[in-house]
Amino acid sequence: MEKELEKVRKRTEKRLEYHRRKGSASRPINSALDHLGRIEGYPTRNVGRINMKGLPKPIRIIGYIWIGFIGLMIITLIYVNIRDWL
């Protein structure tokens, strides 16, 4: 009985050490939502960073066009505002 308890204690300590090392930010709050996110393909790490190279080519092209359009609109707004000041 003592040997089994010692094994359980060691296993528990190992798991606790693993979670302490890993950090609380990487552990999911709800395991069911974490599982759902993995199935549906939601990004779980580096959410603010999008890997455009990993997307299919048509979606990448649409993304580049959209980003370019937004950039052109910003430049146009800056130009129009500066022109109105002069």
Side-chain angles (χ1 to χ4, degrees):
M1 183 79 166
E2 284 296 319
K3 285 184 178 182
E4 291 175 11
L5 283 175
E6 189 61 34
K7 284 182 183 178
V8 170
R9 237 181 251 124
K10 285 182 181 179
R11 189 171 50 232
T12 306
E13 282 300 318
K14 231 181 191 180
R15 288 181 183 167
L16 286 173
E17 182 61 33
Y18 172 75
H19 286 293
R20 282 186 205 120
R21 218 176 329 123
K22 199 172 174 187
S24 63
S26 62
R27 282 186 278 161
I29 294 172
N30 185 342
S31 62
L33 289 177
D34 182 53
H35 179 67
L36 179 67
R38 287 175 191 229
I39 290 173
E40 293 182 353
Y42 296 134
T44 55
R45 296 181 186 166
N46 296 330
V47 177
R49 187 171 170 210
I50 298 172
N51 182 10
M52 290 292 280
K53 300 280 185 198
L55 296 173
K57 195 170 191 171
I59 294 177
R60 273 190 291 174
I61 292 171
I62 291 170
Y64 290 139
I65 291 171
W66 183 250
I67 290 170
F69 176 74
I70 291 173
L72 283 174
M73 291 307 295
I74 290 172
I75 291 171
T76 304
L77 285 172
I78 291 171
Y79 173 74
V80 168
N81 283 331
I82 289 175
R83 193 184 67 183
D84 287 344
W85 288 344
L86 300 176

